[in-house]
Amino acid sequence: MPDDVTLVEVLHRDLRDVRWAEPAELRATARRRSRRTAALAAASVMLVAALGATFVDRTGASPPPVADVPGGNTEIPVEAMLEPTDVPVRTGDTLSDTDLDEPVRVDDFLQVCARAQGLPAQEPRSRYSRSQTMLNPPPEAQPSTPTVALTQDVYRMPSVAASRFVGDLERAVAACGGWRTTGQVPAERGMVTGEVVHSWTVAASGFAGDQAVVLRHTTTVPQQPADGGANRFEDRLVVRVGDLVTVLVPAGRLRPGIPDAEASVRQLQEMGRAAAERMCVAANPGC
């Protein structure tokens, strides 16, 4: 009995020193882990009528085997990630995660489009990956509801797959210059079924690392009654250094008050150069 009492006392003392995550942190972590799943689910709902079994075949396919990279089979250190000082907007907390054998994803919707155009659209697999989500500082009125500023994924790939990754991505972009789908679009009387035009372009390239591109996904609703064609765009940054590839997605404008599309590209180019320098410490071969 004395030994049992001693054990209980030790556990009780240690539990007092445990830092339990705040509810806001737990909710933000859950959002981070469900981000890719939610994006793919939204794309599949919009495309089910147009693609049918094509999308089912894609999701049901077995992933290709991951080849070893001599000298490069090491985890990605935190030093290879962007720091808050590299981002042109003030950020709050940062959530991070690591994983093995993850698909290298840039834009799930682009992959579906490429598949529909007859291009190989199976995402390559990474050996290691590290992800982070930078949060905006919470507003004083609602400190328990953080919002995402940007997300970054860094993947370590087999060297051959890494060297051709950006080229394959640009071919998918070229094939999806004006892809028409049918889905729910906003109208004066609420959501209605209408045509949506998706287009991807390379907004900038060759500005950092071994390869770098800024991809712009523009969505147009031709029948939007308000202005004859409501447009919105989303930019993504892809940079490769050796066997490392990073994908960075801002959640919105990186600098409030600057809606100009060219300003968004310039900001991503600046972050791309910073990301390339950070990845140099872990890339194979190094910089």
Side-chain angles (χ1 to χ4, degrees):
M1 179 64 70
D3 291 340
D4 293 339
V5 172
T6 301
L7 177 60
V8 170
E9 290 176 344
V10 170
L11 291 174
H12 182 68
R13 182 194 61 203
D14 290 344
L15 285 173
R16 288 201 308 267
D17 297 330
V18 173
R19 176 188 173 274
W20 301 103
E22 296 293 333
E25 183 177 349
L26 293 174
R27 286 193 295 270
T29 303
R31 290 192 194 96
R32 165 69 183 85
R33 294 182 176 177
S34 63
R35 174 171 54 87
R36 296 188 182 91
T37 302
L40 187 56
S44 65
V45 169
M46 180 175 290
L47 299 176
V48 65
L51 300 184
T54 301
F55 186 69
V56 175
D57 292 342
R58 172 183 178 270
T59 56
S62 299
V66 178
D68 288 335
V69 183
N73 287 333
T74 57
E75 292 186 1
I76 300 168
V78 68
E79 290 79 12
M81 310 296 290
L82 284 174
E83 294 285 344
T85 54
D86 300 323
V87 180
V89 66
R90 190 168 67 92
T91 60
D93 294 335
T94 298
L95 307 176
S96 61
D97 194 11
T98 59
D99 217 327
L100 300 170
D101 193 32
E102 280 288 294
V104 183
R105 284 177 169 160
V106 176
D107 187 331
D108 291 317
F109 212 19
L110 175 60
Q111 293 287 4
V112 177
C113 174
R115 180 84 172 191
Q117 309 309 314
L119 295 179
Q122 179 67 50
E123 299 100 333
R125 312 293 292 195
S126 62
R127 183 70 179 92
Y128 295 97
S129 64
R130 179 179 288 274
S131 305
Q132 67 174 355
T133 300
M134 292 186 178
L135 303 177
N136 291 308
E140 294 182 2
Q142 295 179 307
S144 62
T145 57
T147 58
V148 174
L150 61 89
T151 60
Q152 181 191 17
D153 301 299
V154 176
Y155 304 95
R156 187 180 298 282
M157 302 174 63
S159 56
V160 174
S163 64
R164 67 181 182 224
F165 179 75
V166 174
D168 290 343
L169 188 62
E170 290 177 329
R171 280 185 283 276
V173 168
C176 293
W179 189 41
R180 296 178 180 272
T181 65
T182 300
Q184 292 293 302
V185 299
E188 291 180 344
R189 60 182 184 276
M191 299 298 291
V192 299
T193 300
E195 185 181 63
V196 181
V197 180
H198 298 271
S199 61
W200 286 265
T201 57
V202 176
S205 64
F207 50 85
D210 294 319
Q211 291 175 296
V213 293
V214 174
L215 298 184
R216 172 157 296 170
H217 174 199
T218 302
T219 305
T220 304
V221 182
Q223 302 302 319
Q224 180 73 13
D227 55 10
N231 298 332
R232 65 178 179 85
F233 72 87
E234 180 183 57
D235 290 336
R236 295 167 188 259
L237 170 69
V238 180
V239 179
R240 180 180 73 85
V241 178
D243 63 341
L244 296 183
V245 170
T246 188
V247 179
L248 190 147
V249 182
R253 296 290 182 270
L254 291 170
R255 189 169 297 163
I258 304 181
D260 180 49
E262 291 304 317
S264 173
V265 173
R266 290 194 298 270
Q267 291 164 1
L268 287 172
Q269 287 178 295
E270 292 173 3
M271 284 197 295
R273 287 186 277 269
E277 292 181 4
R278 299 286 185 187
M279 289 192 291
C280 279
V281 302
N284 176 50
C287 302

